[in-house]
Every structure is written in C-alpha cells, then in structure tokens.
Amino acid sequence: MKLDRRGLLGVGVAGLAMAGLARHAAAQSFPSRQIRWVIPFAPGGNYDVTARIVSDPMGRHLGQGILIDNKPGAGGVVGLEAALNTPPDGYTISMASFTVAYVAPLFAGKQPLLPQMAPVSILTTVPTLVVTRADSRFKDMKSALAEVRAKPGTVTIGHAGNGTTNHVGILRLQLNEDLKFNIIPYRGAGPGIADLLAGNLDLFTDQLTSSMPHIQSGKLRPLATLSLERVPDLPNVPTMGDIGLKPFDGNTTAGVFTHPDTPKPIIARLNEGVVAGLKDEAANRKLRELGAIVRPSTPEEFTTALKADEANVSELLKLGLLKPE
C-alpha cells in the first residue's frame, strides 16, 4: 500500500501519541517493584545514614520497598558508574553531591559523571564550618585571618580530602580574600579532627555533622560557617558576610539522581517520593538532629543549584587552584 505525505505524517503523529500514552501508563503504574538506591560510600557515613532515614517513608509513599545498596570506591565514582549502567526505568537511583559527581571523576582521571545524571531532588544541605581547638590562640575568625595575612602560608588548615567540598571551600576563601593558608589534606574528617585535637593543626574545615559532637563536648570551637546564612543549631557562629568578607556557599548539598534517559513522568514520581520522605515528621526530625538542613526541591531547583556549584568549581579548576595531588 502506498501512502502519501499526509498519510505518513498521520502515522507519525499517531505513533508519537501512542508512545506518549505508553510513557504515561508506565508512570501511572510506577513503581511496580522494589527500587534500588545506590550509595557510593560505605555503610555508616552521612550518605548512608541519610538514605536509610529517607528511604522508609519514601517507600511507603511509593508503595514499594527501597533497597539501600552501598558501592564505595574512588571517591564515589564506582557507585555512580554502577547506577548509570542500568536501564533508564527509574528503578535505580543514586545519591551524590556536586563534588562527588563532578570533581571526584576528574581526580580519578575520568570525565565528570554529572552530565550523565538526571537530578531528582535535593535531600539535605550540611553546613561547613571552620573549627579550632577550644584552647586555640584563635578566639574568633577575624584573629585567625589576621595571622594568615600577617604570616602567609604559616597557619595550617586541614580538610577531609582533595576535591571535597571542604577543600573547595578553603580554596574559594583564599581566592576571594587573597589569602594563603598552609593546606593539609587528610583521608577523611576523623584523622584531621584527631590531629587538630592533638595540637598538630591550627584549623580544620568540616561538616557540622562530624564536628558537632566535639563542639557540644567543649573540645572544639566553631569560628565561622561557610554558609550564606547562619546555622540554626549554632546561631552565634558568624558567616563570612558577618565578618565583612565576600559571602559564598561552601556547604555540602546532596541529592538523588537517576539515569538521564528516564521518562520525565517517572522522574516526577520519584521526586514525589523523595519529597514525601523528607517531609515525614520522624525522618525530618532525625535529619535535623544530625545537623542537616532538609531541602526538598524540584528537579529544576536541584539543577540550578548544581549549575552554581559548577561555576564555582570551574573557576578554581581553570586557575589551577583545584587539581589532583
């Protein structure tokens, strides 16, 4: 049978309509089985704890169980690659921050994974602090920075590893204020805080979640937050803007991603589940007790936040300030 151009167009339109109906039907029935949530770090860490808190109410909202699958390695790269190497059907999601999805692959000699990932929702933002020992000669951030300016390269400041949000925050502070610290990388926050408490380090940039117990016990003094706003749990700790410096967002924002070819209606359904999990009263309270700021968002809002992170990090990379060491 011979079809003219109008007939071919009709077939094409009908085909698109059928495909659209099929996608809509798939989204309506999603999920019909268990969802796998890949955590690219070992059990017990901030990512793992956050996912386990959110997954239960999220699963109840979606009507299916959620399996937490820890796949650590290469600063998060192993887990994210595993999550991407799955069908684009929404049944595999992952958790990452900008530095894990963009910087960690670069430091591993690969291309950033972020362009291959579809944002679903922000989960939480964890404030980043500059802390020192309770008996430190630095009583506040201004006195610490005064010594940095007077004696460039002599004040030591540690962070949890090259390419981490904490490391990026120090570099941004240096660039904004024309400062020079003696920057010391560690393999995680634990060893760095141990050195700080032992008197082998002047300052440390750290996530609120790991520093808070030491602050509450009186062993550490928080000097400043790298947040744009003061931390609710530490209302007396100033931001960079509060002490007259150029403000910037140095916090760690983590969220949920899925395969980029996942149909948008399914991504929207996943977003509903994540947001419901974050708004659950018990889950929300537990996350706030850990020092996290709960931030349910749309995929578009998450994308905007990631673009801001990319602009910040791209400048540091271009200037050669952020590089594998």
Side-chain angles (χ1 to χ4, degrees):
M1 179 177 67
K2 186 176 181 181
L3 289 174
D4 60 15
R5 183 173 179 272
R6 184 176 298 176
L8 288 170
L9 287 174
V11 171
V13 170
L16 289 173
M18 290 297 292
L21 288 172
R23 286 193 296 269
H24 180 72
Q28 288 292 97
S29 63
F30 178 88
S32 59
R33 55 185 169 86
Q34 188 180 59
I35 294 171
R36 182 171 67 125
W37 190 342
V38 175
I39 306 301
F41 295 101
N46 180 54
Y47 275 40
D48 179 70
V49 171
T50 298
R52 291 180 190 277
I53 290 172
V54 175
S55 63
D56 185 45
M58 177 182 172
R60 289 200 303 270
H61 179 84
L62 294 175
Q64 290 291 337
I66 297 177
L67 172 69
I68 302 299
D69 185 6
N70 297 89
K71 288 190 175 299
V77 175
V78 170
L80 296 186
E81 286 183 334
L84 288 171
N85 191 29
T86 58
D89 53 14
Y91 285 97
T92 300
I93 59 177
S94 60
M95 179 178 176
S97 66
F98 175 82
T99 53
V100 172
Y102 192 96
V103 180
L106 285 176
F107 279 27
K110 301 184 178 185
Q111 290 299 308
L113 293 174
L114 186 61
Q116 304 173 46
M117 300 165 66
V120 174
S121 173
I122 294 173
L123 287 165
T124 60
T125 289
V126 178
T128 301
L129 305 172
V130 179
V131 296
T132 191
R133 293 183 313 283
D135 62 352
S136 169
R137 65 187 184 278
F138 301 129
K139 302 306 178 186
D140 52 38
M141 193 66 184
K142 285 187 175 180
S143 63
L145 295 182
E147 186 169 322
V148 175
R149 290 191 174 95
K151 302 175 182 178
T154 61
V155 175
T156 55
I157 186 167
H159 60 75
N162 288 321
T164 60
T165 306
N166 305 354
H167 183 203
V168 170
I170 297 172
L171 296 177
R172 173 52 59 184
L173 177 59
Q174 284 195 143
L175 181 61
N176 284 356
E177 307 300 330
D178 193 23
L179 302 171
K180 184 172 178 55
F181 291 96
N182 179 9
I183 303 175
I184 312 294
Y186 288 86
R187 291 184 179 275
I193 290 177
D195 249 11
L196 180 65
L197 292 172
N200 300 323
L201 196 61
D202 295 320
L203 307 168
F204 194 73
T205 53
D206 192 31
Q207 310 304 312
L208 175 64
T209 45
S210 48
S211 277
M212 194 60 151
H214 301 288
I215 293 171
Q216 291 173 331
S217 70
K219 294 179 181 178
L220 290 182
R221 178 189 302 129
L223 298 181
T225 172
L226 301 186
S227 309
L228 293 173
E229 299 176 352
R230 294 199 179 200
V231 177
D233 290 335
L234 298 170
N236 296 323
V237 177
T239 66
M240 295 292 106
D242 290 335
I243 58 177
L245 304 183
K246 184 177 180 180
F248 65 93
D249 186 355
N251 292 337
T252 299
T253 295
V256 175
F257 295 86
T258 192
H259 195 288
D261 295 329
T262 304
K264 287 187 177 180
I266 290 180
I267 292 178
R269 182 81 173 123
L270 286 169
N271 176 266
E272 287 178 17
V274 175
V275 170
L278 291 170
K279 289 184 175 180
D280 176 80
E281 185 177 346
N284 192 287
R285 183 180 65 254
K286 288 177 183 177
L287 291 170
R288 286 187 283 108
E289 287 173 353
L290 291 173
I293 299 170
V294 182
R295 289 182 60 192
S297 76
T298 65
E300 293 75 20
E301 289 167 340
F302 192 9
T303 298
T304 298
L306 291 166
K307 286 181 178 178
D309 286 335
E310 185 172 4
N312 174 33
V313 167
S314 293
E315 182 182 10
L316 296 174
L317 289 167
K318 189 179 297 183
L319 293 171
L321 299 176
L322 181 62
K323 54 189 176 183
E325 295 179 12

